[in-house]
Amino acid sequence: MTTDQVLMGVGLTLVLAVGSQVLAGRLRIPALIVLLPVGFAAGALVDELDPQQLLGPAFSPLVSLAVAVILYDAGLGLDLGKLKGHTPRVVVRLIWVGALVTWALGTLFAMPLLGMDRRAALMLGAILVVSGPTVVGPLLGFVRPKERLQHILVWEGSLIDPVGGILGALVFHLVSATTTGRHFGGGAVEFLASVGVGLAGGVVGAALLWVLLCRLRLGEILGTTAQLAAVIAVAAFCDIVREDSGLIAAVVTGLAVANLPRFDVPARRPFFETLVSLILGLLFISISATVTPQSLRHVVLPALGLTAVLVLLVRPLVAFVSTLGTDLSRGERGFIGWLAPRGIVAAATASTFSATLVAKGIGGASKILPTTFVVIVATVTLYGLTASAVARRLGVVRPARSRPLLVGGEPWVVDLGRALSAAGLQVLMWAGLEQQRERIGQAGLELAPGELLAAATGEGAELEGITAVFLLTAEDDFNALAATVLRGSVEGSVHRVGSPRESVGVVAPFIGGEVLFGTELTGVALSRRYEEGASLVTRPADLAAPAGWDLLFLVRGDGRLVPVTEANRPLPGPGDLAVLLAPASTDHPAAPPAPGRW
C-alpha cells in the first residue's frame, strides 16, 4: 500500500470507531450494535480499511496485546471482597462448566447447521465460549440488576475471556497438527501449561508494578504509563512462551493490583477508560472490515440458527448446572441464563486463527469468521434489546428509588437526611467528626463506616448502589476536592454545596461541577440561616411555596430525588414532594399529613 492509502485507512478507522461510539451513546444502545455493521459496510466499500493490508503480519499480535490491555483494566475492577456466600461457587462453575458445555454443544450443532468439517467446528465452538466484560459491563450498567447478580456476571465475563483465549489457541494447534500428520497429544497438559505461564506472568507483572508504584512511588502520569508498559511487556513475553497465555497474565496482574493492600490505584482511571474505549472501537471496526459480503452469503441463516441454540439451549443449561444447590433465587438463575453476549475476544480469536485454517485446507474454516461476526451482532442486539425487560419480569432489578449519600454532619444536613428518609428514600450518611457521627446515629440514620475517599476506591464504606452523592460539609475546599475524586467512582451524579462568591479558598472557587441550590444558598448561608431558626419542610410539590421559602429538592412520585442546582430548577409533577427551607419565625401553612417539618 502507498503512504496515502495507509494514512487514509488509519484515519478512517479512527473516525469510524469514535463516530460509532458517539452515535451509540446518543442512541443509548451498546456500541457494538453500531460498530460491527459500520465496520462491515466500510470494509466492503473501502479497500484501505483492511487491517491485513494496513498492518500485515503485525495485525494479529497487536490485537492480542490490545485485548491484554482491556483485560488488565477489567481485572482492576474485580474486588475479591465482593465474592461472598455462594457467589464464588457460581462464578467458578460458570467458567469451567460454561466453557466445556458451550464448546461441546457449539461444536455438535455447528457441524450440521453450517456444513463444517469436525475440526473447523471444534475451532468455532472454542471461539464462542467467551463472553467479555466490555460487552457485559455496559449491558449491566443499563439494566442495573441486583448487586450479587452483577458481581457474578462481571466476574464471569472477565475470567472467561483469558480461559477461552487459551482454549482457542490450544484447539488451533490441535487442528493444525492434524493437517500435517503429526499427533498433538496431551491437550490437558498443554492447557494447564498455558495457564501456568499466564499465572506466573501475572505474578511477575504484579511484582513489577509493586516496585514501580509502591517503592518508586511514581506520580499519576508516570504511574499510568508504567502500568501500560508493564502489562504489554508481560503479556508479550507470555505469548512468546505460550500462545494467548498473556491474556491470563493481564487479568491476574489487574486482579492483584486491585486487591493487594499495598497498591494505591485510584478507582477512577481516566487514561485507561479512554484507552480501552478507543481500543475497542478500533478493534471492532478493523475486525468487522475483514468480513466480506460474499463470506456472509450462505452463512447468515445457519449462523442465526446456531445463535438460537446458544441462547435458548446452551446458556440456560450452563446457568442451571452452575447455580444448582446455591441460594440464588429463581429470578437470578433465570437472568444468568439469559445473558451471555459475545464480544471482542471472540472476534479477535476468529480473526487470528481462521485465515490460517483456510490456508491449511480445513473444510468450512472460511465460515468461522463470518459466523462469529453474526453471532456477536445477534447476541449483543438480542440481549441489548431484551435484558432490561427480562430483568424486570424476573424481579432482579435494583429498586428505582434513589439512595443518596449525604456527606456532612451539621444540624441542617442531619435534618435533611431525616426529611428524605421520611419521604421514603434509603439515605446513607457520612461525616468525619465523631460528634457529627454521633448526631447522625442519634437521628436514626444509616451511617457509612470508614473513610470517605477510601470508600471511593472500595476500601471503606460501601458506595455501590448509591444513586447520587451530595457533599454538604462546612469545608468548601473539601467538598470541591471530594467531588473531583468521587465523580466517576459512583454510579450516579456528584453534587456539592456552593461556596461564597468572595471565597478565597484554595480549590473551591476554581472547580466547576454540579453546584447545589444556587449562588445565594451556599453552605455558609444554609448553616447561618439554620442557626437563626430556619427549618426544613416537606410538603406536596403542587402547593405553592410561600414567599421566602427556598426549594432544595423534589422527591418524585416514583422515588427519584431531583436536586435544585445552579443550572437546573426542576418542575414539580403529580405526586411529587418538595423539600424546602423555611425562614425563621414563619407560620407554616397547613398541609396534608404527608409533609413534615424538621
Side-chain angles (χ1 to χ4, degrees), residues 9-34:
V10 172
L12 186 58
T13 301
L14 185 61
V15 169
L16 292 176
V18 177
S20 298
Q21 291 172 322
V22 171
L23 177 60
R26 299 294 295 177
L27 297 176
R28 297 182 61 82
I29 59 176
L32 265 66
I33 296 179
V34 179

Side-chain angles (χ1 to χ4, degrees), residues 17 130 145 157 193 221 228 255 289 323 329 339 347 355 380 392 543 562 566 580:
V130 299
I221 296 176
L228 181 61
L255 189 61
T323 59
S329 67
L339 196 69
V380 171
R392 287 196 299 270
L543 296 178
V562 184
E566 286 185 340
L580 304 109

Side-chain angles (χ1 to χ4, degrees), residues 1 6 81 106 167 194 231 247 296 337 356 363 389 517 532-533 567 575:
M1 298 183 72
V6 171
L167 178 62
S194 296
V231 170
L247 301 184
L296 287 175
T356 303
F517 311 143
E532 294 171 352

Side-chain angles (χ1 to χ4, degrees), residues 398-463:
R398 296 180 196 175
R401 303 188 73 83
S402 294
R403 188 188 185 214
L405 171 63
L406 307 185
V407 178
E410 287 72 18
W412 75 270
V413 180
V414 176
D415 283 351
L416 175 61
R418 294 172 58 203
L420 296 179
S421 181
L425 304 186
Q426 186 182 359
V427 179
L428 181 65
M429 299 196 66
W430 184 92
L433 299 178
E434 188 60 34
Q435 180 184 3
Q436 295 177 343
R437 297 175 72 85
E438 290 179 0
R439 184 182 297 142
I440 292 170
Q442 292 171 358
L445 297 169
E446 183 181 358
L447 180 64
E451 299 292 334
L452 177 66
L453 298 184
T457 61
E459 298 172 3
E462 180 61 69
L463 284 186

Side-chain angles (χ1 to χ4, degrees), residues 37-328:
V38 166
F40 170 73
L45 297 173
V46 183
D47 293 336
E48 289 82 1
L49 213 60
D50 186 350
Q52 301 289 358
Q53 296 184 40
L54 282 173
L55 301 173
F59 177 61
S60 291
L62 286 176
V63 167
S64 180
L65 295 178
V67 173
V69 173
I70 292 172
L71 292 183
Y72 171 73
D73 184 69
L76 290 175
L78 299 178
D79 185 356
L80 290 172
K82 296 175 182 177
L83 289 181
K84 302 174 182 177
H86 288 175
T87 300
R89 184 191 309 177
V90 175
V91 171
V92 171
R93 287 180 182 177
L94 285 171
I95 300 301
W96 72 266
V97 172
L100 293 178
V101 171
T102 304
W103 183 26
L105 294 182
T107 299
L108 184 65
F109 282 94
M111 286 189 289
L113 285 173
L114 293 158
M116 281 183 161
D117 182 284
R118 177 172 56 88
R119 296 169 296 179
L122 280 169
M123 186 73 252
L124 180 61
I127 290 170
L128 296 179
V129 160
V130 299
S131 177
T134 57
V135 187
V136 174
L139 287 177
L140 294 178
F142 181 72
V143 175
R144 298 189 75 251
K146 293 181 178 179
E147 292 177 14
R148 178 171 66 167
L149 195 54
Q150 179 155 336
H151 295 156
I152 290 172
L153 293 169
V154 167
W155 272 86
E156 180 204 7
S158 298
L159 297 181
I160 192 65
D161 271 5
V163 172
I166 288 178
L167 178 62
L170 177 63
V171 172
F172 171 75
H173 289 300
L174 287 169
V175 170
S176 298
T178 64
T179 64
T180 60
R182 295 185 290 109
H183 296 287
F184 195 84
V189 175
E190 296 290 333
F191 180 82
L192 291 176
S194 296
V195 172
V197 170
L199 291 175
V203 172
V204 172
L208 179 59
L209 288 178
W210 179 81
V211 172
L212 294 172
L213 301 179
C214 299
R215 299 295 293 177
L216 299 181
R217 297 188 179 276
L218 299 179
E220 182 178 353
I221 296 176
L222 278 179
T224 302
T225 53
Q227 289 180 69
L228 181 61
V231 170
I232 291 178
V234 170
F237 180 77
C238 290
D239 282 346
I240 292 171
V241 178
R242 301 288 305 179
E243 192 163 10
D244 274 353
S245 61
L247 301 184
I248 283 188
V251 76
V252 168
T253 302
L255 189 61
V257 171
N259 290 276
L260 292 179
R262 293 296 300 276
F263 285 99
D264 185 18
V265 178
R268 191 183 183 202
R269 304 174 295 276
F271 176 80
F272 270 100
E273 293 169 6
T274 303
L275 182 62
V276 167
S277 176
L278 181 60
I279 287 174
L280 283 171
L282 294 175
L283 287 181
F284 277 117
I285 291 293
S286 299
I287 292 172
S288 57
T290 63
V291 181
T292 63
Q294 292 78 11
S295 66
L296 287 175
R297 184 169 301 169
H298 303 295
V299 170
V300 174
L301 290 180
L304 289 176
L306 180 61
T307 303
V309 170
L310 294 172
V311 170
L312 300 177
L313 173 63
V314 177
R315 181 60 180 185
L317 177 61
V318 168
F320 173 77
V321 174
S322 300
T323 59
L324 203 61
T326 67
D327 60 355
L328 267 68

